[in-house]
Amino acid sequence: MERSAKDHLFQQIALITQAIANPHRLELLDLLVQTPRSVEQLAQASAMSVANTSQHLQRLKQAGLVVGERQGTTVIYRLTDPVIIRL
């Protein structure tokens, strides 16, 4: 494996581990395992503010764990891959 490929792989692993190292983000992943949800639905289910939930979702999105899809004026978040359930 080339050095640059290894560096990229290690960087991705670091992003993912940093993203799941927070209990709030783990809770959001757990909620998204059940069904895709909007920021507002996730905030309500996790007892966090919408702003805080949105920030956590952005970290999960940067790590490639979730994706948001716009439906009208609402963004619905879901897991990027069912294999994430095994985390």
Side-chain angles (χ1 to χ4, degrees):
M1 184 180 277
E2 284 184 38
R3 183 75 231 168
S4 63
K6 275 180 124 175
D7 288 344
H8 179 73
L9 175 64
F10 294 145
Q11 184 177 19
Q12 285 304 114
I13 292 170
L15 277 174
I16 292 168
T17 55
Q18 288 172 0
I20 64 173
N22 181 287
H24 296 296
R25 290 193 284 272
L26 286 174
E27 181 177 10
L28 293 176
L29 287 174
D30 182 55
L31 290 166
L32 291 172
V33 163
Q34 299 165 25
T35 187
R37 301 173 195 239
S38 69
V39 176
E40 292 80 10
Q41 291 168 327
L42 288 164
Q44 183 177 15
S46 63
M48 289 189 285
S49 70
V50 171
N52 197 15
T53 302
S54 182
Q55 289 177 352
H56 285 301
L57 286 168
Q58 290 309 307
R59 287 291 302 267
L60 293 170
K61 192 174 176 181
Q62 288 171 352
L65 298 173
V66 301
V67 64
E69 296 175 353
R70 185 164 294 283
Q71 293 181 359
T73 59
T74 303
V75 177
I76 302 297
Y77 286 88
R78 63 174 176 79
L79 300 179
T80 55
D81 192 314
V83 77
I84 294 169
I85 294 168
R86 296 190 330 200
L87 272 175

